[in-house]
Amino acid sequence: MENTRRVGTVSRGIRCPIIREGDDLSQIVTESVIEAAKSEGFALRDRDVISITESIVARAQGNYATVDDIAADVKAKLGGGTIGVIFPILSRNRFAICLRGIAKGAKKVVLMLSYPSDEVGNELVSLDKIDAAGVNPYSDVLSLEKYRELFGVNIHEFTGVDYVQYYGDLIREMGAEVEIVFANQAKAILNYTDCVLTCDIHTRARTKRILKAAGAKIVLGLDDIMNAPVNGSGCNEQYGLLGSNKSTEDKIKLFPRECNGLVYDIQKKIFEQTGAKVEVMVYGDGAFKDPKGKIWELADPVVSPAFTDGLVGTPNELKLKYLADNDFKDLSGDALKEAISASIKAKGGNLVGNMASQGTTPRQLTDLIGSLCDLTSGSGDKGTPVVLVQGYFDNYTN
């Protein structure tokens, strides 16, 4: 009988012990994957992908910072007077602790929120309400009083929090004055202060460029805060506070620091113990959007901060249904299978513009696999911070 594999891509959450600071993560991950393979009766193969969630990497590294560390850095870099804090996302987990530190390092915070929603889709006020009020979010700058008069109190659908009130209270609690405004043009903040901390994630380079061109005195992003240790704290040289998460009420876990060594070390260990050349990556948020809540998952600066070189690039795939419906519409059964298999084997290195590849959106491999892993591991209590993906690089001919 013909030996055909009947299964394509498989994604498995791998249980691991709870990781603590100083643990040898490459050893723990290697052992956990090999033990899982033994207990479940599967073998590791070349080009399997082992993915490790960023949070256990940062935890093993001990990459933390406190509110006081953030405050000291903000004060040193922005002068400790009036600071414009613009375009933050609305999140207790992602931004609230950062804001505590920022406020503690300032005399006054002018908090400028984008509306109707933040950068990743958390809604402050619905577009329907904006339309009804006759407001143009592209050009109109609203004071807190005007916002309340037009829109009243708006509770976040998922968290039940009025973020306008919450962020304002939090700044006051840290001993700073606060003024809240609503605008979508970065340079609107310059009517209040010329020292600006821009807190957007994916649009930060443009925001900084606009502010500098408009004459701001100091322009920094979250990636410029905690990009070096403060009083012996952790840091992230590349991303600063971006990608950080709440750890306790006065401490954050930063995005993991340089972790290329880790992924290549695991790749080497797996090869030595099994003979399989696997790919390895660290992943954080997936890159997908929730159609109901309108929230884009990606609050990290990147999906994957480190990966082995076999994960560079984009998929190179043909659409089977296009071939079946068009080029080979008169074939069926084994003849159809052979014709499609021949097309796949003959496909060139670059399918741009080839009709048979349309609809196979060429996203980065690490963004696709990272999204699969984020959905597999979940963000709760599954206890599987490592995900093994097998057969991802197979196609119909394997």
Side-chain angles (χ1 to χ4, degrees), residues 146-353:
K146 190 69 184 165
Y147 168 85
R148 290 295 190 205
E149 179 195 319
L150 290 172
F151 307 118
V153 172
N154 293 279
I155 301 295
H156 189 285
E157 178 186 8
F158 295 151
T159 63
V161 173
D162 172 5
Y163 277 97
V164 176
Q165 183 73 42
Y166 176 61
Y167 279 179
D169 289 346
L170 207 142
I171 292 165
R172 281 183 287 269
E173 270 169 39
M174 301 316 290
E177 291 174 59
V178 61
E179 183 172 357
I180 300 178
V181 293
F182 302 81
N184 291 309
Q185 298 285 0
K187 56 188 178 209
I189 194 65
L190 299 179
N191 294 323
Y192 304 86
T193 177
D194 58 2
C195 294
V196 187
L197 179 63
T198 181
C199 301
D200 45 350
I201 304 159
H202 309 292
T203 51
R204 64 188 185 275
R206 175 176 182 258
T207 303
K208 288 181 191 180
R209 170 173 59 74
I210 288 168
L211 288 166
K212 284 173 184 166
K217 187 172 80 173
I218 302 174
V219 179
L220 296 175
L222 286 178
D223 50 334
D224 301 307
I225 306 297
M226 300 309 303
N227 57 2
V230 174
N231 303 323
S233 72
C235 71
N236 190 301
E237 293 83 353
Q238 190 175 3
Y239 297 119
L241 284 174
L242 291 174
S244 64
N245 274 287
K246 176 178 179 174
S247 170
T248 67
E249 288 306 323
D250 65 351
K251 192 165 76 167
I252 55 164
K253 178 193 62 57
L254 294 154
F255 211 46
R257 293 170 82 166
E258 212 293 313
C259 37
N260 274 329
L262 173 71
V263 296
Y264 283 104
D265 196 30
I266 293 169
Q267 184 182 55
K268 181 167 169 274
K269 282 190 167 90
I270 293 282
F271 183 71
E272 287 167 355
Q273 293 184 44
T274 69
K277 191 182 176 193
V278 300
E279 303 298 342
V280 184
M281 63 182 271
V282 175
Y283 71 97
D285 282 342
F288 49 85
K289 187 170 181 173
D290 163 34
K292 184 180 184 304
K294 313 283 190 292
I295 294 167
W296 190 36
E297 176 70 9
L298 191 57
D300 287 330
V302 287
V303 171
S304 177
F307 45 88
T308 50
D309 52 14
L311 296 174
V312 173
T314 58
N316 189 48
E317 298 175 342
L318 295 172
K319 204 82 161 172
L320 296 190
K321 62 187 180 190
Y322 181 89
L323 292 172
D325 290 350
N326 291 274
D327 300 36
F328 310 125
K329 63 178 184 291
D330 299 327
L331 300 178
S332 61
D334 286 346
L336 175 61
K337 184 179 174 182
E338 277 162 30
I340 286 181
S341 296
S343 290
I344 292 170
K345 284 173 177 156
K347 72 184 174 185
N350 185 346
L351 299 174
V352 172

Side-chain angles (χ1 to χ4, degrees), residues 29 33 48-52 266 270 278-281 386-388:
V29 170
V33 170
D48 285 353
V49 183
I50 296 171
S51 300
I52 307 137
I266 293 169
I270 293 282
V278 300
E279 303 298 342
V280 184
M281 63 182 271
V386 172
V387 175
L388 174 67

